[in-house]
Amino acid sequence: MKRSTPARRSTSVGAALGALLLTVGLGAAAATAAPLPEPAAPPSASAGLLDAMRQDLGLTAAQAEERLRAEKAATEVERTARQRAGAAYGGSWFDPSAGRLVVAVTDRAKEPELRALGADIRLVRHSAAALDRAKARLDGLRAPAGVAGWHVDPKANAVVVDVVRDARRTPAVLAFLDRARATGLVTVAETAEAPRTYAAGTVGGDPYYTGNVRCSIGFSVHGGFVTAGHCGRAGAAVRGWDGSAMGTFQGSSFPGDDYAYVSIHSGWWTVPVVLGWGTVPDQLVRGSAEAPVGASICRSGSTTRWHCGTVLAKNQTVNYSQGAVYQMTKTSVCAEGGDSGGSFLSGDQAQGVTSGGWGNCSTGGETWFQPVNEILARYGLRLHTA
């Protein structure tokens, strides 16, 4: 999302859009040209994205491509499996070692039908609906600072409460855990640090600013872009990378949620591209199919650029110092101040906007994002796709 003047578009944005336009042009010419030999199957991702997965996930380029193909298939299976399992559905996740989706069910009779879809099956005691109800009861509690958050974990078939290691034995945390365990579906895990948002003070030359806060653009939508809610309130003016007027926050929610919609002024335009910031080529966005737990995922932000990891959990409540945020997705990807609002992608599918986390990209950490489909639905927006 860039102004037309002064020019600051990266060459890879131009290359990505040029390739898209060239494909359309060639399609029109093909009606009259002689048949061409069958082309080789295109790679499932750009070389830059594969290189980022190699660096952060320890995969070769061939392994990364195979994993992306398997994850795409698992995403399609997950939608159907959820419908077929019905009330017996206990959640699902991607198993990288097998390259298949695992579906948890409470009814053994569902197993043959779900296996026929290409999924592995695990029998569990609690349905996803029961776990969601237990989590909703925790969402009604006020958590102390030593509780980092909680989420439904389909592998554990439980609601996992994350507590900060150094605060686990404090009276406030112990009292919260006693109330949480009363649901009968809770287990406890430790985390190294409390979560925090990733906004930052103003630094020249970065994507956008509101007040004295720097954040990152998430995804282009028709008429503007989506980003994190803690980056600005509704009505706040947004300045672009060059300090000029860029747009206005039309909607923003934080805490409770962490999402926002910014409309842009004339002189700016939207493109279906996520910036690689010179680390990887810019990526075309082709949709927003939600990746399963266990899938690989990569993040783009104005501070730390490209980093990859895996989806660790969904529907997590994150207990920031400003208040709890619900229905977040937890990842093993690192981030730092200024990355807030930036893009999470799985392959070429938009996943969400960076909210916060703990750690950094030198020593590692975890980061949460607000799912993009929820943001689009909340504001009635349409993702700009290639």
Side-chain angles (χ1 to χ4, degrees), residues 78 151-152 290-293 311-316 328-330:
E78 184 178 45
H151 65 277
V152 170
E290 185 178 333
V293 170
V311 178
L312 298 178
K314 296 184 182 181
N315 192 22
Q316 174 147 13
M328 303 274 273
T329 298
K330 180 181 181 180

Side-chain angles (χ1 to χ4, degrees), residues 203-214:
V203 177
D206 277 311
Y208 82 87
Y209 314 93
T210 177
N212 66 343
V213 171
R214 168 172 62 90

Side-chain angles (χ1 to χ4, degrees), residues 126-208:
H126 306 296
S127 69
L131 294 172
D132 287 342
R133 287 193 296 269
K135 178 186 174 294
R137 289 196 289 274
L138 296 192
D139 288 344
L141 302 178
R142 185 175 181 84
V147 175
W150 49 92
H151 65 277
V152 170
D153 184 344
K155 289 185 182 180
N157 196 226
V159 178
V160 178
V161 177
D162 293 310
V163 297
V164 179
R165 184 174 301 121
D166 293 342
R168 179 162 185 172
R169 298 300 178 185
T170 62
V173 169
L174 291 174
F176 179 88
L177 292 178
D178 284 343
R179 295 195 299 272
R181 288 191 177 104
T183 66
L185 303 178
V186 164
T187 186
V188 179
E190 290 185 352
T191 186
E193 300 176 28
R196 65 187 185 278
T197 56
Y198 281 132
T202 301
V203 177
D206 277 311
Y208 82 87

Side-chain angles (χ1 to χ4, degrees), residues 333-360:
V333 187
C334 67
E336 296 179 11
D339 287 328
S340 278
S343 323
F344 267 92
L345 286 166
S346 182
D348 57 9
Q349 300 295 302
Q351 298 297 308
V353 300
T354 302
S355 173
W358 63 268
N360 56 55

Side-chain angles (χ1 to χ4, degrees), residues 2-350:
K2 302 289 179 181
R3 276 168 52 93
S4 54
T5 56
R8 193 174 180 263
R9 297 179 66 188
S10 69
T11 56
S12 48
V13 169
L17 291 177
L20 181 65
L21 294 173
L22 180 60
T23 300
V24 174
L26 288 175
T32 56
L36 295 175
E38 187 71 22
S44 55
S46 72
L49 179 56
L50 297 176
D51 187 60
M53 293 178 69
R54 177 197 59 75
Q55 175 179 309
D56 292 329
L57 297 177
L59 303 174
T60 66
Q63 289 171 332
E65 284 202 54
E66 178 57 33
R67 178 157 175 170
L68 288 172
R69 281 191 286 268
E71 289 171 352
K72 183 177 181 179
T75 299
E76 295 170 355
V77 169
E78 184 178 45
R79 288 193 292 265
T80 305
R82 183 188 294 265
Q83 295 172 349
R84 300 279 180 88
Y89 182 71
S92 57
W93 60 93
F94 178 75
D95 179 0
S97 62
R100 290 189 300 275
L101 187 75
V102 181
V103 179
V105 291
T106 59
D107 183 357
R108 186 182 296 275
K110 297 288 184 179
E111 186 170 347
E113 182 179 13
L114 297 175
R115 284 195 185 279
L117 296 175
D120 291 338
I121 308 302
R122 180 177 296 178
L123 290 172
V124 295
R125 181 178 179 183
H126 306 296
S127 69
L131 294 172
D132 287 342
R133 287 193 296 269
K135 178 186 174 294
R137 289 196 289 274
L138 296 192
D139 288 344
L141 302 178
R142 185 175 181 84
V147 175
W150 49 92
H151 65 277
V152 170
D153 184 344
K155 289 185 182 180
N157 196 226
V159 178
V160 178
V161 177
D162 293 310
V163 297
V164 179
R165 184 174 301 121
D166 293 342
R168 179 162 185 172
R169 298 300 178 185
T170 62
V173 169
L174 291 174
F176 179 88
L177 292 178
D178 284 343
R179 295 195 299 272
R181 288 191 177 104
T183 66
L185 303 178
V186 164
T187 186
V188 179
E190 290 185 352
T191 186
E193 300 176 28
R196 65 187 185 278
T197 56
Y198 281 132
T202 301
V203 177
D206 277 311
Y208 82 87
Y209 314 93
T210 177
N212 66 343
V213 171
R214 168 172 62 90
C215 282
S216 300
I217 293 169
F219 294 98
S220 288
V221 296
H222 291 273
F225 62 88
V226 293
T227 187
H230 70 263
C231 292
R233 297 296 184 186
V238 172
R239 306 188 310 278
W241 61 268
D242 60 353
S244 65
M246 182 183 194
T248 304
F249 277 85
Q250 295 297 325
S252 178
S253 181
F254 178 81
D257 308 296
D258 194 6
Y259 51 60
Y261 162 51
V262 175
S263 65
I264 56 173
H265 300 326
S266 60
W268 297 77
W269 69 90
T270 65
V271 290
V273 170
V274 169
L275 295 176
W277 299 105
T279 303
V280 299
D282 299 322
Q283 306 293 306
L284 288 172
V285 178
R286 300 188 184 278
S288 57
E290 185 178 333
V293 170
S296 62
I297 196 162
C298 296
R299 180 193 55 73
S300 175
S302 61
T303 299
T304 57
R305 302 182 177 182
W306 273 93
H307 286 277
C308 298
T310 58
V311 178
L312 298 178
K314 296 184 182 181
N315 192 22
Q316 174 147 13
T317 297
V318 180
N319 191 33
Y320 292 127
S321 61
Q322 302 95 325
V325 177
Y326 308 102
Q327 296 179 327
M328 303 274 273
T329 298
K330 180 181 181 180
T331 76
S332 64
V333 187
C334 67
E336 296 179 11
D339 287 328
S340 278
S343 323
F344 267 92
L345 286 166
S346 182
D348 57 9
Q349 300 295 302

